[in-house]
């Protein structure tokens, strides 16, 4: 178990700034998720922590020690690459045992650890196969088993579930989380999938274009996004953002409901011109524009199936949002500002 | 109807294939029968040249093995071939690896540049290189060939190996470095085992290229004890305008057998080696 910290970390590839002054701490035993759109620098940050890539500026610390000059093999980190990077010329057994062999663990002890790690991920029966004879899910387990086998102090996982089909992904997510809780190793997990991030992370780090936009617990990031990028990236569909003077007002689709459902006293009401209704079974997504003094910004409402009110496209309905559910953002900077009347 | 068309297609296919087989196997066939034909049989214009008209003989083989230095030549050829293969591997592996992994944008251009030097004909280079071997006192020594042959095997094999190394995902190597290896360790333990067909290709190529080489061998070596097959056989068995066809063909046959065996056994790996970059 270890604390991982980066300070003022920057990485340039030629003229391209992949990471810009990133500062971050993963606490001991924490499950920290790096979340951001493709190309925002998540993998690069992970590679810098592993030591595969050298920073242009800044420091990486593991347990308070600057490790910039420590090669990857001496950092005691385990990494699972997006591609799983299994050794194609070795069996599953040899793959999992490889880190042990490289650290000169005696053969008998190593064999036991390999069996144990394989058992932990339910791949004990595949030990004599080669990677090309495995399915995507099995490969992922082999990569994870290889990562845990030598008790590293940090796990670095780069989108380990992205190659799995949707159904498998949900169960793998749950397993992964349970497993991390059990062994309590500091884990930095990269994903571009906000559902995965919300479900897995103790804390989430939202990144965009090489810098960190917000760090916080999932609920906090969801409820109080630091800026319009985070507001628009998290949630499906994301937060509605509507121009209002020199500010933007934001509200979650599930808080934007027919006026009959929200308490009159402290609600802000709009006339909602509905253009399109999607019935997804468990809920309805209602698309449209706000009439009245609000601008013509497009907004979405998410109404649970338990609400029986009929809504049709092409008509206007009174909708409202509880005032405490409104978030305000500066239009110029995109940053969230506190309170204020509409 | 469909059956007939299918049969016709197969017939054309096999027809063409047989034409190629005949075309490429004919020189071997000719070497074999010329080796065992009596001189009279070979030279009599009335005889069918493609078959034995008189009983075969071992005379030519005997001449080659016992009246010439052929066995010395064969030994020299193998010594040179092995040494050149070893030097080529030692130089081409690190060169190709660095070009494939580190040189990025320049790697491709440099690789092609290196490959182009392979295309400079030895008919241009043998003059300066013979001054070089003379300067080092290497005339009539196998070392002249062992040092000069890598000038064409290394560029070609570097370029060849670059393709193999590029086909190995970078992730696998980086994984090995996280798992406890240095970069050199990752190269030896992971990259080389994965490019085994590339390494074999390099060995076979440098071996056959140095085996075939003629001009350098001709200009650097005049002492019979240091000649290789490619130069020893023609210089000793062609006297003025007299060609001793029997022993000549016997020499060619014996020298080509090991190569044929190696190619046959490793052909699959070869083919997968050459197409690996394409499919991956
Ligand atoms: N070795 C490299 N050379 C040049 N550009 C790179 C390199 N690695 C990554 N990049 C660029 O840096 C940016 C961030 O990449 P990456 O960290 O892989 O993003 P993510 O993992 O968030 O999708 C991308 O625009 C990518 O093209
Ligand atoms: Mg990535």
């Amino acid at each position: 178990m270890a604390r991982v910290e980066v300070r003022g970390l920057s990485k340039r590839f030629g003229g391209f700034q992949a990471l810009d002054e990133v500062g971050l701490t993963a606490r001991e035993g924490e499950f920290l998720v790096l979340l951001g759109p493709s190309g925002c620098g998540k993998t690069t940050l992970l590679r810098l922590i592993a030591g595969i890539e050298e920073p242009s500026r800044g420091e990486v610390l593991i347990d308070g020690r600057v490790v910039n000059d420590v090669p990857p093999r001496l950092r005691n980190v385990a990494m699972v690459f997006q591609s799983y990077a299994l050794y194609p010329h070795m069996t599953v057994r040899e793959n999992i045992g490889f880190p042990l062999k490289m650290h000169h663990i005696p053969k008998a002890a190593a064999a036991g650890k390999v069996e144990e790690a394989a058992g932990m991920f339910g791949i004990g029966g595949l030990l004599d196969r080669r990677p090309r004879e495995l399915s995507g899910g099995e490969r992922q387990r082999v990569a994870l088993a290889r990562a845990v086998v030598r008790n590293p102090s940090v796990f670095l996982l780069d989108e380990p579930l992205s190659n799995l089909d949707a159904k498998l992904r949900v169960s793998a997510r749950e397993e992964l989380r349970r497993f991390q809780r059990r062994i309590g190793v500091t884990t930095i997990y990269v994903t571009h999938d906000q559902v995965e991030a919300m479900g897995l992370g103790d804390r989430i780090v939202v990144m965009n274009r090489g810098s960190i936009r917000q760090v916080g617990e999932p609920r906090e990031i969801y409820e109080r996004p630091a800026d319009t990028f985070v507001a628009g990236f998290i949630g499906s569909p994301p937060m509605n953002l509507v121009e209002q003077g020199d500010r933007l007002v934001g509200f979650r689709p599930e808080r934007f409901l027919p006026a009959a459902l929200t308490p009159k006293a402290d609600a802000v009401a709009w006339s909602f011109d509905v253009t399109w209704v999607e019935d997804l079974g468990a809920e309805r997504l209602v698309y449209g524009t706000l009439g009245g003094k609000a601008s013509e910004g497009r907004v979405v409402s998410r109404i649970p199936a338990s609400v029986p009110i009929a809504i049709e496209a092409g008509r206007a309905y009174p909708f409202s949002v509880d005032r405490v559910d409104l978030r305000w953002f500066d239009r110029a900077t995109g940053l969230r500002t506190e309170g204020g009347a509409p | 109807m469909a059956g007939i068309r299918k049969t016709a297609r197969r017939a054309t296919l096999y027809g063409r294939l047989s034409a190629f087989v005949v075309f490429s196997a004919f020189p071997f066939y000719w070497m074999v029968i010329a080796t065992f034909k009596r001189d009279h049989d070979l030279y009599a214009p009335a005889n069918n040249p493609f078959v034995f008209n008189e009983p075969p003989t071992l005379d030519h083989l005997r001449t080659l093995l016992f009246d010439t230095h052929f066995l010395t030549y064969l030994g020299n050829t193998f010594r040179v071939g092995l040494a050149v293969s070893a030097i080529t591997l030692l130089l081409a592996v690190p060169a190709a690896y660095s070009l494939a992994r580190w040189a990025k944008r320049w790697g491709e251009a440099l690789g092609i540049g290196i490959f182009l030097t392979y295309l400079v004909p030895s008919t241009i280079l043998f003059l300066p290189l013979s001054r070089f071997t003379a300067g080092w006192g290497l005339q009539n020594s196998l070392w002249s060939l062992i040092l000069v042959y890598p000038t064409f095997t290394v560029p070609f094999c570097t370029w060849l190996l670059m393709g193999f190394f590029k086909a190995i995902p970078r992730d696998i190597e980086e994984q090995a470095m996280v798992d406890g290896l240095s970069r050199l360790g990752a190269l030896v333990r992971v990259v080389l085992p994965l490019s085994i067909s590339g390494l074999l290709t390099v060995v076979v190529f440098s071996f056959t290229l140095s085996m075939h080489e003629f001009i350098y061998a001709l200009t650097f070596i005049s002492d019979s004890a240091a000649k290789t097959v490619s130069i020893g056989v023609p210089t000793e068995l062609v006297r003025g305008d007299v060609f001793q066809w029997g022993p000549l063909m016997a020499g060619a046959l014996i020298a080509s057998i090991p190569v044929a065996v190696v190619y046959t056994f490793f052909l699959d790996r070869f083919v997968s080696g050459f197409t690996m970059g394409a499919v991956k």
Side-chain angles (χ1 to χ4, degrees), chain A residues 114-153:
Chain A
V114 169
E115 299 275 346
E116 191 187 339
M120 206 184 281
F121 292 98
I123 48 171
L126 307 175
L127 286 174
D128 294 313
R129 295 218 202 150
R130 291 196 189 263
R132 66 169 174 278
E133 299 162 340
L134 302 177
S135 72
E138 290 164 346
R139 284 179 199 183
Q140 177 239 345
R141 284 150 196 262
V142 175
L144 287 168
R146 181 177 59 185
V148 306
V149 75
R150 68 189 160 104
N151 301 323
S153 49

Side-chain angles (χ1 to χ4, degrees), chain A residues 114-238:
Chain A
V114 169
E115 299 275 346
E116 191 187 339
M120 206 184 281
F121 292 98
I123 48 171
L126 307 175
L127 286 174
D128 294 313
R129 295 218 202 150
R130 291 196 189 263
R132 66 169 174 278
E133 299 162 340
L134 302 177
S135 72
E138 290 164 346
R139 284 179 199 183
Q140 177 239 345
R141 284 150 196 262
V142 175
L144 287 168
R146 181 177 59 185
V148 306
V149 75
R150 68 189 160 104
N151 301 323
S153 49
V154 182
F155 278 141
L156 304 173
L157 309 179
D158 193 358
E159 313 217 11
L161 308 186
S162 64
N163 290 340
L164 306 185
D165 62 54
K167 207 168 144 196
L168 202 54
R169 204 176 322 176
V170 174
S171 61
R173 194 156 76 206
E174 184 195 335
E175 270 173 48
L176 192 64
R177 186 67 240 228
R178 266 216 309 267
F179 164 76
Q180 196 267 348
R181 283 266 153 77
R182 195 164 75 228
I183 62 171
V185 172
T186 311
T187 300
I188 302 181
Y189 182 103
V190 162
T191 180
H192 66 268
D193 178 348
Q194 41 124 353
V195 178
E196 218 167 276
M198 296 289 289
L200 279 170
D202 288 325
R203 286 190 305 154
I204 296 177
V205 178
V206 185
M207 295 178 62
N208 189 33
R209 300 225 205 119
S211 49
I212 292 181
R213 309 305 286 261
Q214 187 172 9
V215 182
E217 287 169 14
R219 175 72 17 207
E220 182 187 346
I221 288 197
Y222 189 80
E223 296 286 356
R224 305 171 63 78
D227 60 19
T228 49
F229 171 78
V230 179
F233 191 70
I234 308 269
S236 163

Side-chain angles (χ1 to χ4, degrees), chain A residues 47 81 83 87 102 146 150, chain B residues 171 174-176 178-179 181:
Chain A
R47 291 164 60 88
F81 285 72
S83 61
Y87 305 117
M102 294 307 111
R146 181 177 59 185
R150 68 189 160 104
Chain B
D171 284 2
E174 290 167 347
Q175 177 76 57
V178 174
D179 282 347
L181 287 172

Side-chain angles (χ1 to χ4, degrees), chain B residues 202-218:
Chain B
V202 163
V203 169
V204 173
F205 256 93
S206 22
F207 200 96
T208 42
L209 282 177
S210 39
M211 199 164 178
H212 294 161
E213 205 286 328
F214 186 78
I215 291 181
Y216 295 140
L218 181 69

